[in-house]
Amino acid sequence: MLRQHPDPSIGGKAKNLSELSNLGLNVPHWVVLSQQLLKDFSDDTGKLTLPADLLDEIQTHFSDADFLAVRSSALDEDGGDFSFAGLFETKLFVRKENLAEQIQEVWKSSFAERVQLYREKNGLKQSNGLGIIIQVMISSESSGVAFGINPVTGNRKQQLISAVFGLGEGLVSGELDADNYLVTENGIETDIAIKTHSFHYNKTGKSGIVKEELPEKKKKAKVLYKEQIKQVQKLVKQLGRHFGKPQDIEFAFADRKLYLLQSRPITSLSKIPDKNDTYVLWDNSNIIESYPGVTTPLTFSFISKSYEGAYRLFCEYLGVDKKVIERNTSVFENTLGLINGRVYYNLKTWYLMLAMLPGYSINARFMEKMMGVKERFDIPESYLISKGQAWWRIVKMGFKMTSRYYSLSRKRKDFENLLNATIAKYKAIDFTEKSANELLQLYLDFEHTLLNEWKAPLLNDFFAMIWFGRLQSMCEKKLKSVNPNIHNDLLCGSADIISTQPIHRTIALSTEISQLPEMKEMFLNLPSKQLWNKLKNAGSEDESGRIYNEIQRYITDFGERCVGELKLETISYTQDPTLFLDILKSYVQNEITLSKRSGNKEAEIRSKAEAEVNSILRGKFYKKYKFNKALRKTRELVSSRENLRYERTRAFGIVRELFSAMGIRFYAEGILNKDRDIFYLTKEEITQFIQGRSVTQDLKKLVELRKSEFEVYEGTETPAERFASYGLVYHANDFFSTDKVEQLEGDLKGTGCCPGRVTARVQVVKNPKDIASLHGAILVTSSTDPGWVTLFPSASAIIVERGSLLSHSAIVSREMGIPCIVGVTGLLRTLKTGDLVEMDGSTGTIKIIEKKGTPENE
C-alpha cells in the first residue's frame, strides 16, 4: 500500500506515479493497493470485502484531505503500447465514509466486457483485477492534457496543450470543447473554443461530479495564461527527456499551482509520422513489371547500385556538371526503395535529378510538364544555376548529344559485340571449380567490363523516348486519325524485335510436337523432369533427340527470358530446363499451335495503319517524307530498345549464375544452411564476408532473420502503388494509404493491343494456377508472363493492368486474335470478379455496365 510499493502488481499507472513523485514533481499525495493484495479480499464473483483496519490505515494517509480520487492501475495500463484509456472506472470527490464502496466499483470495472474485448483485440492476457490508487482530490480551476509532440502533424519539436475550466473529465471523454495551445519554435498558436460548460464537485450529492453551465464571461475567455502554458510545456518536455519518450500528461491548476496528475508515453507514436520531417513520394506503377512481388535482398542491393550508376551517367550526358553529381551522391544512391520487400521508385530523387538539369533553371514548369511530374518538391538553392550558365551547358549538351545520336548505331554495335564476347567468355568458365574469392573477382570484373559500360542502352532509351513522343505528336496533330492508338499500331509487327521471338519459337515447337503422336503423348502425360530425362537420353537421330536439340537451341538463345527474369533469385530456364518444359507442355495441352494463330494479326494491324497514313497524307509529299522519317527512326529505336533490354536480361543471367555458384560454395563450406540462402544476403554483405570486413560472422542467423521477415512480406497485403512517407521511412508511416493514388474518373482506359469489342463478365486472377478455365470470361490481372498462356484460349478477352505493346500478353493476344488491352491504371482497384464490362481492343476503353464484383478468385 506504500507509494514506492515493491510489488509489480501495483500496475502501470502507480509505477508511473511513483517515479514522478521521486522526481520531486508536484503530484497530489497518493497510495496504492496492489492487485495481489486486493485478490486476498476478493471472492470468486469479484466482490471485494476490505477489512476495517485496512480502510483505517488508508485514511491515516489523508487526514487533511476533504475528498479523495479512486483510480485504476492495471498491470499493463499507461504503458508504451496500450493505455486502456477510459475503460476502467474512475471515482472523483469520494468522501472517506464512501471509500470502500467506490474501491469496489473500480475493482469491478476490471471484469467488464469492454475490458476483456480490448485485451482480446490487442493480444493481451486476460487479467482478473487491478491495482487501485487512492489520491488527494484536487478541486481544479482548470485542467487539461498535454502532448510532447504535435499529434496531428507528428512534429516532434512542438507541444500541444488542451485545457478546459474545472475538472478534466469532460475533456478526456470528449464531452467538452477545449482551448488548444500549440507551442512551436516561433511562439504559441492559440485556438480558443467557445466553452459552454465545465465539470465540478457535485455539492448536492454524496460524492462525484456535475456538469454546470459556465458564466458568459468565461465562455470565450482563455483557460490558460501564457505563463501557465509555458509551465505545462516545460513540464511535458522535462518528462519526455526523463522517460526517453514523448509523454501524454494530465495536469490541473488549483490556486494557480500546477499539479501533475499522470504521465504516460504517447501510445500511438508508432503510428504518427512527423509530417514536418523529410517528405518522400514512393511509386511502383512502372517498376513492378520488372520486379513483381517480393524481391530478395541480393537482387535489391544489386539493382540499387545498377540504377545509381546508370542515372549518374545519364545526368552527366544531359549536361549536369560532374561536381554537382558528386556533391549529390545520396540522390543517386536512393533512386530505389524496398518497401515490405517490394521495389519502389523514390520520386523525390527523380525530381531532384530533374532539378539538376540545366533546363530546370531556365523553365522549371516546362521541364516538369515535359517529364510528367505531378508533384513538386523543395529544391536546394545549390541545384539552381544562373540562366547564362544553364544556356551554355544546354548548348554544349546539344552538340554532344547530336554527336552521340549520329554515332548511336555504331555504339550499339560496339556494345553488343562487347556483351557477346564477355558473356561467351563467362559461359566458358566452370563456376563450380571456382572458390568464393575467385567467383567474387569474376563478378567484380564483369561489373567493371559490362555493367559500368551501359552507355549505348541509356542513349538509345533517351532517343527512343524523344522520337516516340515526336511520332505520337505528329499522329495527333498531322493525321488527326479517329484511331487514338494509330502510333502504336504503326509499331506492330516489327520482325527485328527479339521480344516476339520466344513466343513464335515456342508456338513452332508446340506445333512440331503436336504433329508427332508419340511425342505429343509424352508431353501430355509425363512429368516435366521425367520427360526431360527421356528427351536428353534419346539418340540424336530419332524424334526425341531432335526435339531435345531444338529445345536446347531455344534455351541457349532465350534461357534467361523467363518469369521474373531480372530478379537474381529467379531460377532461369538455363539453370532448370524443366521449367521451360512446363510452359511447352501447357502450349501442347491447350493446342496453341500455328494452326490456332489468327493469321498474321500484327502485320494486318500495321498494314491497316500504314494504309490510313498513306490515305491522309496522299499528295502531301514533304509532310509524308517527314512523317515516314519519324516513323522509321522510331521503329529502329524502339526495336533496339527492346533488344537491348534483352541484352540486360542476358547480363543479369551471368550475375545470377555467379551468385548462385557462391551460394553453392557457401553451403559446401557450412557457412549457409542452403545454397539459395545466398539471396537473403546483400551484395555488400557477401563481399564483406569474403574480404574480412563483415560486422556479422554468423550468416546462418542473419539469413534466418531475413527469411522470417520476408515470409511475412509474402503473406501480407501489397502496399499501395503510390504513397508518401515522412521522416524515418520504416517508422510510423502508412504504406497502405491510398491518399496519393490517382483517383479515377470516368471509364477505364489503357492501350489497345488487339482489335475486337467484347461484352462479358470479368474474372480477376492473381495466379494462373488458381483457375483451370475462364469459360469465356474476360481475363483481368496485374501482369502476365509465359505461364499465363494456359488461360488465354478460354478467355473472351484480356485486360492487364501493367504492360505495353511489346509485353507478353499483347504479343500473344495478337498471335491468337484475342482482343486485348494493357496498361490500365487502377484496373484491379476498380474491377472485381463478376463485373460486367464492355472492352474495345482497338481504342483501349473499358466501360463498366454492371457492378457485381466479388473478391478475387471466388
Side-chain angles (χ1 to χ4, degrees):
M1 191 177 75
L2 300 175
R3 179 177 299 169
Q4 297 181 21
H5 204 292
D7 186 347
S9 69
I10 62 173
K13 190 178 293 183
K15 288 177 185 175
N16 288 347
L17 284 176
S18 177
E19 190 157 358
L20 297 175
S21 300
N22 291 338
L23 287 172
L25 299 173
N26 192 22
V27 178
H29 184 67
W30 63 281
V31 295
V32 60
L33 306 175
S34 72
Q35 178 177 328
Q36 190 58 49
L37 174 70
L38 292 173
K39 277 187 174 180
D40 292 340
F41 306 115
S42 173
D43 60 22
D44 293 339
T45 66
K47 182 180 179 181
L48 270 179
T49 305
L50 297 178
D53 59 340
L54 177 60
L55 291 170
D56 291 341
E57 184 183 351
I58 294 172
Q59 297 202 21
T60 61
H61 287 271
F62 302 100
S63 56
D64 296 332
D66 293 326
F67 298 101
L68 302 174
V70 182
R71 303 177 187 273
S72 63
S73 182
L75 292 177
D76 31 20
E77 186 177 4
D78 283 0
D81 299 314
F82 308 101
S83 67
F84 286 83
L87 292 178
F88 300 115
E89 290 289 336
T90 296
K91 299 297 179 180
L92 304 178
F93 287 102
V94 176
R95 293 182 182 275
K96 293 175 185 176
E97 59 267 28
N98 301 322
L99 184 59
E101 176 188 337
Q102 300 305 309
I103 290 174
Q104 169 68 38
E105 289 299 311
V106 175
W107 174 260
K108 279 171 56 180
S109 69
S110 71
F111 301 92
E113 184 180 4
R114 62 181 181 273
V115 176
Q116 311 306 317
L117 290 173
Y118 182 85
R119 289 185 177 280
E120 185 179 326
K121 181 180 178 182
N122 291 288
L124 301 174
K125 289 182 179 179
Q126 296 296 341
S127 178
N128 295 322
L130 38 63
I132 292 180
I133 295 167
I134 298 99
Q135 191 170 24
V136 171
M137 182 70 218
I138 302 298
S139 185
S140 54
E141 298 143 6
S142 58
S143 307
V145 296
F147 294 91
I149 67 168
N150 184 335
V152 179
T153 66
N155 192 324
R156 268 59 172 173
K157 296 179 181 179
Q158 298 177 347
Q159 296 78 45
L160 180 65
I161 302 167
S162 298
V164 295
F165 288 117
L167 300 173
E169 303 313 302
L171 170 61
V172 174
S173 66
E175 193 171 342
L176 297 181
D177 292 330
D179 287 357
N180 289 311
Y181 307 95
L182 182 64
V183 187
T184 72
E185 294 171 302
N186 301 319
I188 301 171
E189 297 177 12
T190 303
D191 181 13
I192 304 302
I194 298 175
K195 300 165 286 291
T196 58
H197 292 79
S198 63
F199 282 90
H200 292 279
Y201 166 57
N202 183 7
K203 297 176 183 177
T204 62
K206 294 185 296 182
S207 61
I209 59 176
V210 65
K211 182 178 178 181
E212 295 178 342
E213 186 172 357
L214 284 169
E216 284 298 323
K217 66 177 183 179
K218 275 193 168 185
K219 288 184 177 180
K220 294 184 179 180
K222 289 183 179 180
V223 174
L224 300 180
Y225 300 107
K226 185 175 182 180
E227 188 56 40
Q228 290 176 313
I229 295 169
K230 288 185 175 180
Q231 279 183 267
V232 175
Q233 182 211 17
K234 181 180 178 181
L235 178 60
V236 76
K237 289 180 71 174
Q238 176 189 349
L239 290 168
R241 286 191 296 270
H242 174 76
F243 288 106
K245 292 182 177 183
Q247 296 290 296
D248 163 9
I249 71 170
E250 293 183 18
F251 65 88
F253 280 98
D255 298 322
R256 297 215 169 203
K257 186 183 290 186
L258 174 61
Y259 289 90
L260 177 61
L261 304 181
Q262 71 178 41
S263 179
R264 62 190 177 209
I266 299 174
T267 55
S268 57
L269 192 65
S270 62
K271 299 177 182 177
I272 307 175
D274 186 348
K275 293 188 177 179
N276 289 80
D277 206 342
T278 305
Y279 168 69
V280 177
L281 190 62
W282 302 93
D283 187 287
N284 77 340
S285 56
N286 289 320
I287 202 166
I288 193 174
E289 195 172 0
S290 297
Y291 301 98
V294 172
T295 297
T296 61
L298 180 55
T299 293
F300 180 72
S301 62
F302 170 69
I303 64 174
S304 291
K305 293 297 291 183
S306 299
Y307 273 74
E308 176 190 347
Y311 286 106
R312 285 172 66 102
L313 185 62
F314 192 59
C315 283
E316 186 180 333
Y317 277 169
L318 293 181
V320 180
D321 188 90
K322 286 185 178 180
K323 291 180 181 177
V324 174
I325 292 174
E326 290 304 320
R327 193 163 59 240
N328 293 284
T329 296
S330 63
V331 171
F332 298 97
E333 289 175 340
N334 288 284
T335 53
L336 300 180
L338 193 66
I339 306 297
N340 288 9
R342 275 89 174 176
V343 182
Y344 278 74
Y345 280 130
N346 179 334
L347 295 189
K348 181 176 182 179
T349 64
W350 284 73
Y351 190 90
L352 293 176
M353 283 190 281
L354 172 66
M356 290 181 203
L357 303 181
Y360 190 88
S361 294
I362 296 171
N363 191 336
R365 300 292 80 75
F366 171 77
M367 290 290 290
E368 289 167 357
K369 184 178 180 181
M370 184 181 76
M371 299 299 290
V373 172
K374 296 179 181 179
E375 184 160 350
R376 300 182 66 192
F377 295 84
D378 292 332
I379 299 298
E381 288 188 12
S382 60
Y383 279 51
L384 303 178
I385 57 178
S386 69
K387 290 191 176 182
Q389 286 179 302
W391 277 116
W392 173 238
R393 288 184 186 175
I394 288 173
V395 169
K396 285 199 302 182
M397 185 263 290
F399 278 112
K400 288 181 179 178
M401 292 302 277
T402 301
S403 172
R404 288 169 181 147
Y405 173 71
Y406 285 109
S407 64
L408 180 58
S409 179
R410 176 177 54 81
K411 287 185 180 295
R412 279 200 307 258
K413 189 169 290 185
D414 291 344
F415 173 77
E416 288 169 359
N417 289 337
L418 173 65
L419 183 136
N420 287 330
T422 306
I423 288 180
K425 173 186 171 184
Y426 274 75
K427 285 288 187 183
I429 298 172
D430 185 356
F431 294 150
T432 62
E433 295 295 320
K434 301 295 181 182
S435 68
N437 269 295
E438 289 171 326
L439 289 167
L440 176 60
Q441 192 56 51
L442 282 169
Y443 166 75
L444 294 174
D445 291 344
F446 187 81
E447 183 179 70
H448 176 75
T449 303
L450 204 58
L451 299 181
N452 293 334
E453 294 296 326
W454 220 256
K455 300 181 182 71
L458 282 173
L459 285 170
N460 193 91
D461 276 0
F462 175 74
F463 290 119
M465 179 185 72
I466 298 295
W467 279 101
F468 182 83
R470 188 175 179 185
L471 176 66
Q472 186 175 14
S473 176
M474 292 174 79
C475 287
E476 290 173 357
K477 295 177 181 178
K478 305 294 183 185
L479 299 183
K480 297 180 180 178
S481 170
V482 293
N483 178 6
N485 290 315
I486 191 169
H487 59 289
N488 289 330
D489 293 351
L490 288 165
L491 299 179
C492 278
S494 295
D496 57 345
I497 295 182
I498 203 168
S499 299
T500 63
Q501 292 184 30
I503 297 164
H504 294 161
R505 284 179 58 176
T506 305
I507 292 175
L509 267 169
S510 173
T511 302
E512 188 173 358
I513 291 165
S514 298
Q515 291 172 346
L516 301 170
E518 289 186 13
M519 187 62 57
K520 182 177 180 181
E521 189 71 18
M522 286 168 54
F523 270 79
L524 290 176
N525 297 311
L526 291 182
S528 293
K529 286 189 177 180
Q530 186 180 343
L531 176 60
W532 179 248
N533 289 330
K534 193 171 182 67
L535 294 173
K536 188 176 181 180
N537 295 324
S540 57
E541 300 300 321
D542 63 19
E543 291 175 351
S544 296
R546 187 163 51 79
I547 294 297
Y548 171 78
N549 291 333
E550 287 293 327
I551 293 172
Q552 278 286 41
R553 275 193 288 274
Y554 177 94
I555 291 172
T556 299
D557 293 339
F558 303 113
E560 304 303 325
R561 175 123 289 180
C562 54
V563 180
E565 60 190 36
L566 297 181
K567 298 167 75 169
L568 300 183
E569 62 270 21
T570 295
I571 300 174
S572 69
Y573 300 154
T574 300
Q575 294 173 301
D576 185 358
T578 62
L579 296 175
F580 176 64
L581 278 192
D582 289 338
I583 302 298
L584 196 51
K585 279 164 62 70
S586 71
Y587 273 60
V588 174
Q589 288 164 358
N590 288 278
E591 299 181 344
I592 301 173
T593 62
L594 292 171
S595 63
K596 290 293 180 76
R597 288 175 59 184
S598 183
N600 196 345
K601 198 73 177 181
E602 290 188 306
E604 292 174 13
I605 294 170
R606 177 169 171 157
S607 296
K608 183 179 178 182
E610 287 174 341
E612 184 177 352
V613 170
N614 289 331
S615 174
I616 294 171
L617 298 180
R618 184 175 290 114
K620 302 173 183 177
F621 300 107
Y622 182 64
K623 285 185 177 180
K624 188 174 183 180
Y625 164 76
K626 286 181 66 177
F627 184 88
N628 285 336
K629 179 182 177 182
L631 177 58
R632 187 173 62 254
K633 291 305 300 181
T634 304
R635 282 174 173 169
E636 174 198 329
L637 290 162
V638 168
S639 293
S640 296
R641 182 191 66 179
E642 292 305 310
N643 295 341
L644 288 169
R645 284 183 176 181
Y646 180 63
E647 303 301 356
R648 176 184 62 176
T649 297
R650 292 176 63 207
F652 274 44
I654 295 296
V655 176
R656 177 185 292 115
E657 290 187 49
L658 283 166
F659 280 105
S660 295
M662 284 188 212
I664 293 170
R665 180 58 58 198
F666 276 28
Y667 169 71
E669 296 291 337
I671 299 166
L672 295 176
N673 288 323
K674 295 179 180 178
D675 60 325
R676 289 188 58 77
D677 285 352
I678 195 84
F679 297 108
Y680 290 93
L681 301 171
T682 67
K683 180 165 69 79
E684 292 74 22
E685 287 167 344
I686 296 166
T687 302
Q688 289 160 3
F689 186 87
I690 292 172
Q691 296 177 339
R693 298 181 291 113
S694 178
V695 296
T696 300
Q697 294 186 41
D698 191 342
L699 295 188
K700 288 181 179 178
K701 284 188 177 178
L702 180 57
V703 166
E704 185 180 345
L705 175 67
R706 291 264 171 80
K707 288 175 84 170
S708 63
E709 189 173 359
F710 275 70
E711 281 173 14
V712 172
Y713 296 151
E714 289 279 9
T716 55
E717 182 186 351
T718 303
E721 67 181 48
R722 177 177 285 212
F723 63 89
S725 69
Y726 303 87
L728 304 174
V729 174
Y730 296 121
H731 175 72
N733 286 295
D734 182 4
F735 299 155
F736 303 94
S737 171
T738 57
D739 291 348
K740 294 291 181 178
V741 176
E742 186 177 347
Q743 298 303 308
L744 300 171
E745 295 182 4
D747 296 332
L748 292 168
K749 186 80 169 64
T751 300
C753 297
C754 185
R757 185 174 292 177
V758 175
T759 300
R761 297 201 180 274
V762 306
Q763 176 76 49
V764 178
V765 183
K766 291 186 175 180
N767 189 320
K769 296 178 182 178
D770 292 341
I771 187 168
S773 174
L774 291 164
H775 303 291
I778 297 174
L779 170 62
V780 169
T781 190
S782 175
S783 60
T784 68
D785 53 55
W788 287 77
V789 77
T790 56
L791 285 179
F792 284 13
S794 63
S796 58
I798 300 165
I799 309 175
V800 186
E801 190 166 44
R802 316 290 182 195
S804 66
L805 281 173
L806 296 170
S807 60
H808 172 266
S809 49
I811 296 168
V812 175
S813 66
R814 288 194 291 267
E815 289 284 340
M816 302 176 71
I818 302 172
C820 178
I821 302 172
V822 300
V824 186
T825 301
L827 178 65
L828 296 189
R829 280 189 283 125
T830 307
L831 295 185
K832 302 296 180 187
T833 296
D835 290 346
L836 182 65
V837 305
E838 179 186 82
M839 65 84 72
D840 190 327
S842 297
T843 63
T845 57
I846 304 152
K847 293 183 178 180
I848 302 172
I849 299 172
E850 184 182 17
K851 288 289 287 181
K852 273 194 177 180
T854 58
E856 289 83 349
N857 298 333
E858 285 192 1

